[in-house]
Amino acid sequence: MENVEEKRMELLDELMIDILKRLPAKSLIRLKCVSKSLYSLINNPDFIFIHYNYDSFSNQFIFLKRYIEIEESTSEYSIYYNGKNMLALHSNDESFKCIAENIEYEDNYIGVNVAGVCNGILCICSYRGIVLYNPTLREFWKLLPSNLPLLDDLCPSKKINCCVDLATGIGFDTNTNDYKVVRILDPSNEFEDFDINSKFISKVEIYNLSTNCWRRLKDLECIIDSLHCSRVLFNRAYYWHGYLNIGHNCIVSFDFSTESFQKHAYPEDFDGNRSESLSVLNQNIALIYYSEFYSPDLLVEQSIDIWIMKRESWVMEFTVGPMLIKKLLLVWKNGTELMIESKEGKLVSCNFFFQSTKELHMSGVQNTLEAFVCKQSLISIKKESAKWS
């Protein structure tokens, strides 16, 4: 009889998990208050893993960051701090409705950017510091101050201002079950006497959530483009647009398990004067770039070439347009539409195939909009850190 009862309870648990894994994270958070058994089940790391990896379109949302001015600039530098960074969640469908009220981020610097998202956890950074944020749980985790820039390494006789050129990425090491943040500093922009003909070298460090500290890695022999549209996380590796030296571009990837970099070539006929973006399309790294490069003050219709990386080789997938595009933010709606920022700082969606555009009725200061497709996640950064204590 005991064996029968045990099997019955196991079956009930499996049935309960099969039901609960289909529910939105917000519903599960409410259910934790119903009973101790539900509280224990929903907080179980195995269930959290099952819930996050359950393939449900309804569990996805769009995370949007934008900068809003709240007063006119009174000095040359006040333009960088006279507004606020707003964080919001929107539905990943035609309506694009706001599904959570806007949150004002604590850092009012206009240069705050979102380095990426991993397992529903976003990495928000600026020269002031780096914060991990789970928008589902409304949970923030501030990283300890970085060891970079190191003045002795860069130039002992000069101080570094706040306009450092930083590239940051977040990932998960499946070998150690640890979250990591990599930070890359390009010191070439800090000094007026930097020789553009010299070898491009970047300083690198990595943060482990398990140890809650930074450590230095080997220098990287190239510099990284820190723009939002020039980076993406794919298959547990982070990809950036990089420069080996003047006129020689490459794509640089970082593997969070081996903590090593790899350089990848661009398509043979790649024109370095084109605007380009890295994204993920149909489970492949995609390179999306425009036919021409135009002045920031101009906005003209452009054709858009889309290349897919397959086994380290680039294949031209298709060309769309011409269409109006200022800056690419995101490929969404199952790879059928581009989310872009217009010249006026408005959020617009462009359909690849019908070449139609639709305003999404959101805006911010020009060049401050960032968008990511996220999945609802019950992964607590604080609990992930505590398990290593």
Side-chain angles (χ1 to χ4, degrees):
M1 288 293 292
E2 290 183 2
N3 290 336
V4 173
E5 182 66 17
E6 287 178 3
K7 289 181 179 180
R8 189 178 73 86
M9 293 304 296
E10 288 178 4
L11 183 61
L12 286 174
D13 287 343
E14 290 176 4
L15 182 60
M16 181 67 73
I17 290 173
D18 191 58
I19 294 172
L20 293 179
K21 74 180 182 182
R22 304 168 191 272
L23 297 180
K26 283 190 174 181
S27 299
L28 293 173
I29 292 172
R30 296 191 190 100
L31 282 174
K32 289 198 294 185
C33 303
V34 173
S35 67
K36 290 183 178 180
S37 60
L38 279 176
Y39 180 88
S40 177
L41 174 60
I42 295 170
N43 278 337
N44 186 292
D46 292 334
F47 173 76
I48 291 173
F49 177 82
I50 291 171
H51 177 264
Y52 181 80
N53 288 281
Y54 179 67
D55 190 14
S56 172
F57 187 77
S58 62
N59 282 340
Q60 294 184 350
F61 60 88
I62 301 296
F63 174 84
L64 178 67
K65 191 278 297 183
R66 58 199 176 106
Y67 191 79
I68 302 173
E69 284 186 323
I70 57 177
E71 58 185 29
E72 292 186 3
S73 304
T74 57
S75 70
E76 179 183 355
Y77 297 102
S78 66
I79 186 175
Y80 301 111
Y81 304 96
N82 68 340
K84 52 187 179 181
N85 287 287
M86 303 302 297
L87 313 179
L89 310 183
H90 294 261
S91 60
N92 187 22
D93 56 29
E94 192 71 24
S95 68
F96 197 66
K97 65 180 180 181
C98 187
I99 58 178
E101 64 181 69
N102 287 272
I103 292 179
E104 181 181 345
Y105 187 56
E106 62 178 12
D107 190 342
N108 68 337
Y109 174 49
I110 195 172
V112 166
N113 70 86
V114 183
V117 59
C118 176
N119 294 346
I121 297 171
L122 293 137
C123 181
I124 306 175
C125 53
S126 76
Y127 77 92
R128 288 173 162 176
I130 299 176
V131 171
L132 302 183
Y133 174 49
N134 183 328
T136 304
L137 302 179
R138 296 288 183 96
E139 183 181 81
F140 291 89
W141 177 270
K142 191 169 185 177
L143 273 59
L144 292 177
S146 164
N147 295 323
L148 293 177
L150 301 176
L151 298 183
D152 292 338
D153 283 353
L154 301 178
C155 184
S157 62
K158 296 185 178 181
K159 292 184 178 180
I160 297 179
N161 59 35
C162 66
C163 300
V164 291
D165 195 358
L166 299 171
T168 311
I170 180 174
F172 184 71
D173 183 349
T174 55
N175 292 336
T176 60
N177 292 324
D178 192 11
Y179 287 91
K180 297 180 179 180
V181 176
V182 63
R183 187 171 180 265
I184 306 165
L185 168 68
D186 167 22
S188 63
N189 289 342
E190 308 314 310
F191 313 115
E192 294 180 359
D193 57 355
F194 176 76
D195 182 4
I196 63 172
N197 296 316
S198 63
K199 200 172 186 179
F200 283 6
I201 300 292
S202 294
K203 304 294 180 181
V204 184
E205 65 177 350
I206 193 165
Y207 169 89
N208 291 68
L209 186 62
S210 60
T211 59
N212 192 29
C213 66
W214 294 90
R215 54 191 167 85
R216 284 288 300 273
L217 296 182
K218 183 180 178 181
D219 289 350
L220 175 64
E221 294 187 359
C222 75
I223 58 176
I224 300 296
D225 191 337
S226 58
L227 294 176
H228 161 69
C229 58
S230 298
R231 59 181 187 260
V232 67
L233 178 67
F234 176 69
N235 278 356
R236 297 186 294 275
Y238 216 90
Y239 291 77
W240 297 269
H241 176 204
Y243 306 92
L244 297 173
N245 49 50
I246 298 297
H248 292 83
N249 302 345
C250 67
I251 292 174
V252 180
S253 64
F254 180 78
D255 187 302
F256 284 93
S257 294
T258 62
E259 297 185 355
S260 60
F261 288 95
Q262 185 177 354
K263 300 181 180 71
H264 313 266
Y266 270 91
E268 290 184 2
D269 62 345
F270 175 74
D271 183 353
N273 290 324
R274 296 176 176 180
S275 298
E276 54 87 19
S277 174
L278 288 171
S279 188
V280 176
L281 183 63
N282 298 329
Q283 300 302 311
N284 290 288
I285 285 290
L287 175 63
I288 305 173
Y289 63 105
Y290 322 145
S291 299
E292 300 281 346
F293 176 80
Y294 294 95
S295 163
D297 298 326
L298 298 176
L299 188 63
V300 298
E301 289 192 341
Q302 305 170 61
S303 295
I304 301 173
D305 297 329
I306 300 177
W307 294 73
I308 300 294
M309 181 186 284
K310 296 181 178 180
R311 297 179 181 178
E312 291 299 315
S313 297
W314 290 103
V315 178
M316 169 66 109
E317 197 73 0
F318 50 84
T319 299
V320 296
M323 64 174 63
L324 292 173
I325 179 170
K326 174 66 177 180
K327 184 179 73 173
L328 173 66
L329 300 179
L330 181 68
V331 177
W332 70 317
K333 290 189 178 180
N334 292 324
T336 62
E337 295 200 13
L338 290 173
M339 188 179 291
I340 66 171
E341 178 185 326
S342 72
K343 183 180 179 181
E344 297 80 17
K346 295 180 179 179
L347 199 62
V348 179
S349 187
C350 302
N351 188 282
F352 275 134
F353 306 105
F354 298 106
Q355 299 189 23
S356 57
T357 60
K358 176 185 177 181
E359 286 197 15
L360 298 176
H361 307 294
M362 297 295 293
S363 62
V365 174
Q366 189 175 345
N367 286 322
T368 67
L369 272 64
E370 296 182 83
F372 293 84
V373 176
C374 297
K375 288 184 70 175
Q376 296 183 26
S377 173
L378 295 170
I379 299 171
S380 168
I381 313 162
K382 295 178 181 178
K383 289 181 180 178
E384 285 292 317
S385 176
K387 77 181 184 181
W388 296 98
S389 300

